[in-house]
Amino acid sequence: MAFYVFDFKIYYKQNFYIMPGFELFGDEEKKEINDVLETGIMFRFNHDEVRNNVWKARDLEQEVKNFTGAGYAHAVSSGSTAVACVMAGAGLGYGDEVIVTPFTYLATVEAILFAGALPVFAEIDETLCLSAEGIRSAITPRTKAVMLVHMCGAAADMDAITEVCEEHNLILVEDAGQALGASYKGTHVGLFGKAGAYSFDFFKITTAGEGGVFVTNDENTYKIADSFSDHGHDHVGANRGMEQHPVLGFNYRISELHAAVGLAQMRKVAQVRSQSLKNKKIIKDILSTIEGVSFRRMPDPEGDSGTFLNFFLKDTATAQKVMAQFAEDGVGGNNYWYTNMYHFINQWDHVHELKAAYKLPIHELGAPQDYKNLDLPKSQEVVGKLISLGIRCTWTDEEAKEQGEKMAESIKKVLA
Ligand SMILES: *Cc1c(COP(=O)(O)O)cnc(C)c1O
């Protein structure tokens, strides 16, 4: 039975974009952590004689492979470092133009910049992800790759996007940081391109406290990213100090303690997903009756992870009025990304100005676009009119209904 270290229902009254993993934090996580504490081996590699066959990072990776069908999975210290490993594994770096969305958690863009590559921002549409047309119109002779972000818990329009990438010979890589559990026509997000990344931070469908996993079906991509995540170590043999180092890397390792939590959480994803989908449907059915509310376009509704109910008002002004009404009426759980400092490009002044702690290739090469004056009217429209409700997997039917009815009441006051 799950226990809660804090009363998340009180906590949740504030507007948090938190996804459900932490709601089912309990005895299972404690057990996995205790396995590690009993051996004292918090390092994920080696120490075979003394670790009593406890390998939490490996078990987490196996669990991710079983769940997603990935050929290879490697756990690292965060979703951000998983995206960095995806860049490395795909060989993306100095001067490569990488098409990316203006609507994502900032880490996607940071990973591109720190790899030495050049982000090119393209249009999203009502799927909340890059559209095939958006990608097509951002292509230049220097475009090397598309970093596709599956935003807010569901997959992008994969048939159309795969087609553009193939047509233009672009490398597809995926940041599925907030879409673990989502799929498109039976394939899990993160597995459409060369490599993909999931996040296990505190705000995602599963949490390790901090952690991430990158996945790929390509052995060579896996090997390079694996070495990159650990100072080049090829992880062959039992003598760490004598391993080969095929490429330079850094320390992006996950600890066994974090992996232990991630492992217990990973085993709950299917349960979190089905409970979330049930609650999401209850609320969506209520909001569907309101004229003036529409919903995120989902290219494969069957593959939804259920973590967010994303809905649109007529325009930005109306969405902002609804958010103000929610605040006035004490209706929690809704996110407004348009003004969020970390999820939408309008507030990324450090990106606009390329303010970094040290000189990056983009400073020398020049940005491929004027980041201060981007022309992305469709993205502005879509994110402006969007509100995202974070779905709780622990709601009872009655609680979900109450949440939906309260929201409907506030929305109707604004639309009246
Ligand atoms: C959360 C998130 C990340 C970063 O993951 P961390 O584990 O917090 O480093 C990257 N990309 C997306 C789309 C995310 O939502």
Side-chain angles (χ1 to χ4, degrees), residues 44-45 57-58 61 65 70-76 85-86 88-91 194-196 213-230 233-236 246-247:
R44 64 156 302 174
F45 297 111
R58 278 195 202 168
E61 288 155 0
K65 286 192 274 185
Y72 302 89
H74 192 75
V76 289
C85 291
V86 164
K194 220 167 166 56
V213 174
F214 67 80
V215 288
T216 178
N217 285 320
D218 180 63
E219 187 183 4
N220 194 46
T221 301
Y222 164 72
K223 281 188 171 167
I224 293 169
D226 172 44
S227 295
F228 179 78
S229 72
D230 186 18
H233 280 270
D234 68 358
H235 302 134
V236 175
V247 291

Side-chain angles (χ1 to χ4, degrees), residues 1 36 50 81 98 115 130 155 172 188 190 210 245 268 286 387 398 406 410:
M1 192 41 212
V36 177
V50 285
T81 55
V98 178
L130 286 173
L172 177 64
H188 278 262
E210 298 283 359
H245 31 59
K268 298 177 181 176
I286 295 169
I387 296 176
E398 291 68 38
K406 279 204 224 150
S410 301

